[in-house]
Each structure stands twice: as C-alpha cells, then as structure tokens.
Amino acid sequence: MQAKQMMLGLLGSAILGGGVAVGGYKLLEPERTAAPQTVAADPNVRYTSELRSSNYVVPEGLNFTAAAASVTPAVVHVTTEYAPKPSRNNAAQMDPFLRQFFGDEFEQYHGRGQQGVQQGSGSGVIIAANGYIVTNNHVIDKADKITVIMDDKRKFDAELVGTDPTTDLALLKVKADNLPFIRYGNSDQVKVGEWVLAVGNPFNLNSTVTAGIISAKGRNISILRDQKGMGIESFLQTDAVVNPGNSGGALVNLNGDLIGINSAIASQTGSFVGYSFAVPSSIVSKVIDDLLKYKVVQRALLGVSIQEVDATLASEKKLSSLNGVYVQSLTDGSSAAEAGIKPGDIITEINGTKVNTSSQLQEQVARFRPGDKIKVTYLRGSDTKNTTAVLRNATGTTDIIREEVSKAIKYEGATLAPVSKQEMNKLGLEGGAKITGIGKSNFRETGIADGFIITRIDKNQVAKPQDVQKYLEAAKNSEGALVEGVYPDGRKAYYPIGQAE
C-alpha cells in the first residue's frame, strides 16, 4: 500500500494514486482500496492519565523480548470502511429559486457513484482494560465504519469517542472488559540514543515489532496544518522501522511503557527510508484525558508570538545567549502579558524545563488546561526573571470549554436529533440536525426523506435541532425557506419549504 503523502517545501511533483510521488513528510495513512495504573511522575501532571516514571535498566546482552511480549497484545489492528461517494453532475441545471441563495457556483449532486466501498488500515493502542483505544485521527477520519481486531483475532466494532486533529489523535471505545493495556510512560524522561520499540500493523502484517533509538526530541515537521494555526508538533524522532499501517501504533521503551503514538515518516517513496515521528506521551495523555472528561480538548494558551533564537537574531538584537525563544509580540490581555512578560524578553524555561524551540514551548504549554498556572523563566537583558502565568483559552478566559449537549426535539410532527460525533467526522460536518418521522409530519410533502441531516436554512448554519425550529419559525412570515443538507451516504440535497400549515 502507498501512504497518503503530505509534501514539505518541494516544488515539483507527480501525482500517483492520489499521493505526492516525491520526497517530504507523510502521515502514515494507507491508501484506501476498493473491496490505569497511575503513578505520578511529575507534580505538574494531575490528569487521570498520569505519566509513569521508568525504572528500566538496560541489562548486559540487550534483549527486547520482554517488552515486545508485554506490549504486542495491547496493540490492535484498526480497519475502516468508506461508503461510495455520490457522483457529481456538472451539467445539472440550477433552479432559479436556488440561484438566489447559492449563486452560479451551485452544484447539484445525484445518486451514488460507481466506485466500490473503500477500505483503510492502521493501528491502535489499548490504554484501559475497559476498551479505550488511542489511534491517529487520520486513520479514522471520515470513516463510515471502524473495526478493531485484537492480537488474539477477536474483532469488535468501535465507537468514535472524540478526535483532536491539532495533534492527530483520536479515541475509540469497544464494548469489552479485561483487555490487555499499555501504561503511559513519561516521554520527558526519554533520552536521545535510548532504545525503543515500534509496534503496529504495517501493510496489514499484524503485530509487527521493530527496534531503534530515539534520534531527536521536540521535532517540528510542519505536517499538522490547522485552519486556526493551532496544530501542535513536538514529535519524538526515531529510526525504528515504521510503514503505512503503523499509524496509531505504539512506541514504547524497554520497560513496555507507552512513550509515543507513531504518526508520520520522512520519505521520498511513501515507505520507510530512515526516520519516523511519534506524538509524545506527554501530549497523548493530556489530549485523551480531555476527550474522556470533556469530549473536547482544552487548549491553554500563553498568548505570545515567538521566534527561535539563532546567530542572526542574536546579532540583530544584541542578545548575550542563543538559548530560549524570543518574544516578538503578545496578545492583548493574554496570560503572558498579565504575568509581566514583554516583547523582547527571551523565554528559557517552562516549569523548570528548558525551551529552545517553538515546538518545545508548545509541548510544555499544551499539557495544561485553561486556568492552570505555569512558572515561566525568562531573560530581560542580562537579568533572569521568574513569573507565574495563568493560562487562558482561545476566547481569553480561564473557563473550561465543555461540549454543548443537544437533545432531540419534536417539531411539526417530525423528530429532529443531534448528529453523532462519528457521523460528523465521516461527513465533515460541524453540526446539524437529523430529521426522522417524515411520513406523519408536516414535512411529508417536501421531498425530504428520513435520515436527512439539515445543515443550513437559507444562509443560516444549523448547529443543533433547536436551530431548525428557530429558523423555520422565523421563515413563516416570509415566502418560505431553502433547506440545505446531506444524507448519510454523502448525497447533498436542497429543498424549498413553504409556510407550515
């Protein structure tokens, strides 16, 4: 199988099978084909998924068998299915009624395409005996069905609990108990040159174990792009062999503790040529704990724009050291501004951990939640200063962001229900309302079928069932409304609705 490839800083390319055929950094996603034990290791870590200090001493006559035997049963094969996408009829004529809402670029979708069901494959790591599994977001992104196959060949349908594209992590749940699981290790303690094992299912070769060393830490490869610029990259770099299908698999130390989730490779071919990258357990544990507690990830922000210090910047700004990160500017009212940090300061440590790159600073801050306090050490001129910053969320407050719980409602005789997280992920939606019970409702003459997900009414976005009622009630005094949405198989549709009787 080929990897879904993401190119970094390269100009020429040839397209082969939907991927970029020249070098760069690539997520380890296979091409889709048709057919808690808690031991606090750090006083700053206070989450359910706490990190475990390693007490492993490498023996004489190095042997990987103990770690491999303990880890392999808890690494699963994740398979996904993707329904055929609807075909696009570019020659479809647009109703004049629709043009006034959507303009000349409106496209009407008809029927199902000829392409068969597509499949994908990756790996996952069981982190709790009651069936919680960590994998990469890109392994399950927009999947219609997710199946987990255990090392002992048991098979389970998986529920998607939550995702965090900014770290490329996802949390699954299967209905099972007493499963083997892997404990979190402390990625902060991992040293360059330390032996590690990568466990996963490359090319559908189940339960494959490879060995290597940590090549670097805090590596930013600019692969997790996010519309809001919130992607977090501070990868562990290893030379343990990983390939497409290893995505979401375990990177463990020789004590069998999880220190990372394998996510990407540097390659010119889509297959391993020397380096792979894993999300460190310090980030994994925080993200997964947030998804378990709040269903959404809590992003804490320091509120600084920074630049890495190099010889050029040091000469330009007359800096006495090349250590730390340079503060270019601050967001008004940010936690850094309120803590007394100013442009021109150089942040050197967060909670006693040295930070020399933007990715290292991101990683240290990303393990906390809004309202948490962190100790910031910085240089102002030749003076070393310490301050305490109270972290804030993206809206500038210290509040925890909680997922809004929406309930089904009855309206005009039909049932409007929230869209499940898995369906939103599959269809690329941020909300909506699924309508059922059409036959006995006032919607029966509109042409809408049961299961239709309403995403917009006129130019108003529908986030929850209550929005449908609000916008249609408001439209009763007008000439009607245009309802836009999508069916579970991906077909888009538009329905003009007149005044309700």
Side-chain angles (χ1 to χ4, degrees):
M1 290 186 176
Q2 296 177 346
K4 176 183 177 183
Q5 303 177 11
M6 300 185 69
M7 187 172 63
L8 177 68
L10 295 172
L11 300 177
S13 66
I15 304 303
L16 294 175
V20 181
V22 294
Y25 293 108
K26 303 163 182 71
L27 294 176
L28 295 176
E29 180 181 11
E31 182 182 16
R32 298 172 191 170
T33 57
Q37 177 178 1
T38 58
V39 179
D42 183 334
N44 291 315
V45 180
R46 57 172 181 75
Y47 306 109
T48 301
S49 308
E50 290 177 341
L51 305 178
R52 179 173 180 268
S53 296
S54 175
N55 56 6
Y56 186 81
V57 178
V58 178
E60 293 184 11
L62 184 65
N63 194 308
F64 305 130
T65 56
S70 67
V71 170
T72 301
V75 177
V76 300
H77 189 186
V78 178
T79 64
T80 51
E81 292 184 5
Y82 304 80
K85 301 305 178 187
S87 59
R88 180 179 299 181
N89 185 349
N90 291 322
Q93 297 298 313
M94 188 197 313
D95 189 297
F97 178 76
L98 303 180
R99 182 178 284 109
Q100 65 175 303
F101 288 93
F102 296 100
D104 293 333
E105 294 183 0
F106 171 80
E107 292 178 315
Q108 189 171 6
Y109 286 73
H110 298 275
R112 299 176 67 91
Q114 300 300 312
Q115 190 176 12
V117 172
Q118 294 181 314
Q119 296 178 331
S121 175
S123 303
V125 180
I126 304 173
I127 58 164
N130 61 345
Y132 284 100
I133 297 169
V134 179
T135 187
N136 283 138
N137 177 63
H138 73 262
V139 169
I140 52 80
D141 190 31
K142 296 179 175 57
D144 295 281
K145 182 180 180 181
I146 305 171
T147 303
V148 167
I149 304 169
M150 300 281 294
D151 180 58
D152 61 10
K153 299 182 181 180
R154 283 183 292 168
K155 184 181 293 188
F156 301 95
D157 289 335
E159 170 195 357
L160 180 62
V161 177
T163 64
D164 181 35
T166 66
T167 55
D168 193 28
L169 294 172
L171 180 63
L172 309 177
K173 177 71 168 66
V174 297
K175 294 181 179 179
D177 288 306
N178 301 315
L179 297 179
F181 65 96
I182 302 179
R183 297 166 295 187
Y184 285 111
N186 192 341
S187 56
D188 290 346
Q189 294 182 338
V190 174
K191 295 179 174 60
V192 173
E194 181 176 338
W195 280 103
V196 290
L197 300 181
V199 187
N201 305 279
F203 305 116
N204 287 316
L205 299 172
N206 292 357
S207 305
T208 296
V209 180
T210 58
I213 63 168
I214 296 293
S215 306
K217 297 178 65 176
R219 189 68 85 194
N220 186 330
I221 58 176
S222 300
I223 201 170
L224 298 180
R225 296 172 177 85
D226 176 72
Q227 288 182 347
K228 299 179 182 179
M230 300 286 278
I232 298 175
E233 294 190 30
S234 188
F235 292 117
L236 298 175
Q237 178 181 317
T238 79
D239 64 357
V241 177
V242 297
N243 275 296
N246 273 108
S247 277
L251 186 70
V252 301
N253 59 23
L254 296 193
N255 201 41
D257 299 324
L258 184 71
I259 59 169
I261 295 294
N262 295 314
S263 299
I265 55 178
S267 174
Q268 295 180 324
T269 64
S271 296
F272 182 78
V273 294
Y275 298 111
S276 59
F277 303 91
V279 182
S281 59
S282 60
I283 293 178
V284 176
S285 61
K286 158 63 167 53
V287 168
I288 296 307
D289 199 68
D290 281 352
L291 293 177
L292 283 168
K293 288 182 177 179
Y294 308 108
K295 306 300 183 185
V296 292
V297 174
Q298 306 299 316
R299 286 298 304 273
L301 303 174
L302 190 56
V304 293
S305 175
I306 59 176
Q307 180 179 349
E308 295 182 10
V309 179
D310 56 18
T312 302
L313 181 67
S315 175
E316 177 187 335
K317 302 294 183 181
K318 295 180 171 54
L319 306 178
S320 59
S321 171
L322 295 178
N323 297 326
V325 291
Y326 182 82
V327 178
Q328 291 180 310
S329 61
L330 296 91
T331 304
D332 291 340
S334 68
S335 59
E338 294 199 354
I341 296 173
K342 297 180 179 180
D345 291 341
I346 300 173
I347 298 174
T348 57
E349 296 180 7
I350 299 292
N351 287 334
T353 299
K354 295 184 183 300
V355 291
N356 289 311
T357 65
S358 56
S359 59
Q360 289 174 344
L361 178 64
Q362 273 190 322
E363 179 187 351
Q364 292 302 316
V365 174
R367 62 186 67 188
F368 293 96
R369 294 175 177 146
D372 285 350
K373 298 178 180 180
I374 61 172
K375 180 182 177 182
V376 182
T377 302
Y378 62 97
L379 292 174
R380 181 170 295 165
S382 59
D383 297 331
T384 299
K385 297 179 177 291
N386 293 291
T387 188
T388 298
V390 180
L391 297 173
R392 298 177 178 273
N393 59 33
T395 64
T397 73
T398 58
D399 297 336
I400 292 293
I401 305 297
R402 297 182 184 273
E403 184 179 52
E404 184 177 352
V405 179
S406 181
K407 296 181 179 180
I409 63 171
K410 286 281 190 180
Y411 178 64
E412 297 289 350
T415 299
L416 296 167
V419 184
S420 70
K421 187 172 290 291
Q422 186 155 345
E423 203 153 36
M424 283 193 286
N425 183 64
K426 164 193 163 186
L427 297 170
L429 304 177
E430 295 183 357
K434 179 178 281 193
I435 187 167
T436 55
I438 297 287
K440 297 181 179 179
S441 75
N442 290 336
F443 293 95
R444 59 185 176 274
E445 303 296 333
T446 62
I448 298 174
D450 280 354
F452 183 64
I453 299 171
I454 300 173
T455 58
R456 296 182 75 86
I457 296 177
D458 293 339
K459 295 187 178 181
N460 302 305
Q461 187 159 348
V462 172
K464 56 186 182 295
Q466 290 78 5
D467 290 341
V468 175
Q469 181 175 1
K470 178 174 69 173
Y471 297 138
L472 289 184
E473 286 294 317
K476 285 185 175 181
N477 296 324
S478 66
E479 296 181 355
L482 183 67
V483 174
E484 173 187 350
V486 62
Y487 284 98
D489 63 5
R491 286 179 296 132
K492 291 184 178 180
Y494 305 82
Y495 299 98
I497 294 181
Q499 295 183 359
E501 296 295 326

